[in-house]
Amino acid sequence: MMNYIIIINPNSGKKKSVEIFKTKISPILKKKKHDFEYYITEYSGHAIKIIKSINLKNKDAILVLGGDGTMHEVINGMLNRKDKIKIPIGNLPTGSGNSLLYDLGKYDIKTTLNNILKHQIRNIDLLEVSTKIKKIYSINLIGWGMGNDIGVLAEKIRWLGPMRYNVASIIEISRYKGRKAQLILDGEKIDGNYALIAVCNTIYVGKGMKMAPNAKLDDGKMDIIMIKDNFTKIELLKLFPSLFSGKHIDNKKVIYKQVESFTLNPSKNEILNIDGEITGRTPITVKTIPKALELLN
């Protein structure tokens, strides 16, 4: 018998997380005689506050009903606890973008729950993002430039559901402007003008975009996709569909690197898109923390 903490984001995806918990998750947990207590988040950042403050002693794992943003909050709450307690986390696919679960091939609620309840742990990497004022932990994506613009717009049109990422991408491509920045990749300095930089821990971002097709969750490296300001808007629009197959990396203008550390120092500091959350500001230094998270899958 296990004892779980359950975090439910009622606004994730199609806003059915609470219903799914009541009709599918809770009955199975009760039938299997597991103990659990659940919390429904009420605002952005609430899951961080909950996980930082609740008693995790004698708890076996945290179950998350939500997308990448909810997982982001839970992980950051746990890694910022004063007592440094860390327990495994299981993610159930109720969000708009469940990029981590796409990597694992887990899309079905009941199947994913049954796998989680077997309590098989996989240790996966995290990305530690250091800003001037704080550290933020990422499981999925750090987006800057047009990638961040897409994230900001996607939040504004959240009512469109999962399609908002596609719509936001097309709109931002049509109006993008390059940004000047200095990058440091494993100690190598590179100056240039960029349309987009995506730092990935997972293969997928958003809703099924295969942004980093060579990414692995436990290889100790981050995958960096760089699009310089040498694309026309028409070329970018033509490139966009290939993001879903991962074939964009075959384009000679797309730069793809796998590194252990990365620094971004733009000429103008801006907010970032981290795991779908609009948070943190440049300049940043990112490093991989190998196998830092215990994931139930």
Side-chain angles (χ1 to χ4, degrees):
M1 186 175 74
M2 295 290 181
N3 194 344
Y4 296 108
I5 293 287
I6 303 175
I7 300 295
I8 306 165
N9 184 344
N11 294 313
S12 283
K14 297 179 180 179
K15 300 187 177 183
K16 292 186 176 181
S17 294
V18 175
E19 179 187 340
I20 288 168
F21 170 71
K22 289 179 178 178
T23 60
K24 295 183 178 181
I25 309 301
S26 179
I28 290 173
L29 293 176
K30 288 177 179 177
K31 184 178 179 180
K32 293 181 178 291
K33 302 189 183 303
H34 293 303
D35 290 329
F36 62 90
E37 57 188 84
Y38 68 91
Y39 298 83
I40 300 173
T41 61
E42 298 174 4
Y43 51 85
S44 177
H46 194 193
I48 295 177
K49 187 175 181 180
I50 292 169
I51 297 299
K52 277 180 71 174
S53 61
I54 62 174
N55 184 6
L56 290 183
K57 291 180 180 177
N58 302 318
K59 305 298 181 185
D60 294 295
I62 301 167
L63 306 187
V64 179
L65 276 77
D68 297 319
T70 315
M71 279 290 285
H72 171 88
E73 289 193 13
V74 168
I75 289 162
N76 277 272
M78 188 168 70
L79 293 181
N80 282 287
R81 287 177 63 92
K82 290 181 179 179
D83 60 12
K84 304 300 181 185
I85 289 178
K86 289 168 64 177
I87 61 176
I89 300 175
N91 187 195
L92 291 149
T94 66
S96 299
N98 285 104
S99 303
L100 177 63
L101 294 176
Y102 264 83
D103 273 35
L104 298 171
K106 305 289 171 57
Y107 318 114
D108 178 72
I109 295 286
K110 284 190 176 181
T111 302
T112 304
L113 178 62
N114 286 331
N115 285 331
I116 285 172
L117 296 182
K118 293 174 185 175
H119 212 78
Q120 294 178 339
I121 293 172
R122 177 178 177 179
N123 290 85
I124 67 170
D125 302 338
L126 290 177
L127 304 181
E128 182 184 84
V129 185
S130 296
T131 72
K132 285 185 175 180
I133 58 173
K134 62 180 177 178
K135 289 182 179 178
I136 304 169
Y137 297 93
S138 168
I139 196 170
N140 167 221
L141 165 75
I142 303 146
W144 173 78
M146 187 172 61
N148 181 51
D149 298 339
I150 290 167
V152 171
L153 180 57
E155 279 303 298
K156 292 178 180 177
I157 56 174
R158 197 175 183 90
W159 52 272
L160 283 175
M163 281 297 295
R164 70 182 188 270
Y165 295 106
N166 300 353
V167 173
S169 296
I170 293 167
I171 291 171
E172 290 302 337
I173 286 170
S174 72
R175 62 187 186 190
Y176 97 93
K177 291 181 181 179
R179 292 162 164 93
K180 186 177 181 181
Q182 181 183 81
L183 314 180
I184 306 175
L185 293 89
D186 282 350
E188 179 188 357
K189 289 185 180 180
I190 305 171
D191 292 304
N193 290 302
Y194 298 89
L196 174 151
I197 294 176
V199 183
C200 299
N201 192 43
T202 55
I203 293 172
Y204 292 93
V205 303
K207 188 66 176 179
M209 288 186 185
K210 204 171 183 180
M211 182 65 77
N214 298 334
K216 294 182 180 178
L217 291 167
D218 55 3
D219 62 354
K221 294 182 182 293
M222 66 191 86
D223 290 46
I224 302 182
I225 296 84
M226 294 169 277
I227 296 178
K228 285 194 169 184
D229 188 18
N230 57 355
F231 277 79
T232 66
K233 291 176 182 179
I234 296 298
E235 284 176 327
L236 282 173
L237 283 168
K238 288 180 178 178
L239 183 70
F240 177 71
S242 65
L243 291 172
F244 292 90
S245 65
K247 294 197 174 171
H248 60 289
I249 67 169
D250 296 332
N251 188 303
K252 291 180 181 179
K253 288 187 178 181
V254 175
I255 304 167
Y256 191 111
K257 300 279 188 180
Q258 292 180 310
V259 299
E260 295 176 10
S261 66
F262 170 75
T263 295
L264 168 63
N265 191 9
S267 58
K268 179 184 176 182
N269 289 325
E270 297 175 291
I271 201 163
L272 297 157
N273 174 6
I274 303 180
D275 297 347
E277 300 293 291
I278 308 305
T279 183
R281 291 189 75 84
T282 56
I284 57 168
T285 295
V286 186
K287 69 176 183 179
T288 307
I289 308 179
K291 300 183 179 181
L293 178 69
E294 291 184 329
L295 185 70
L296 295 176
N297 70 342

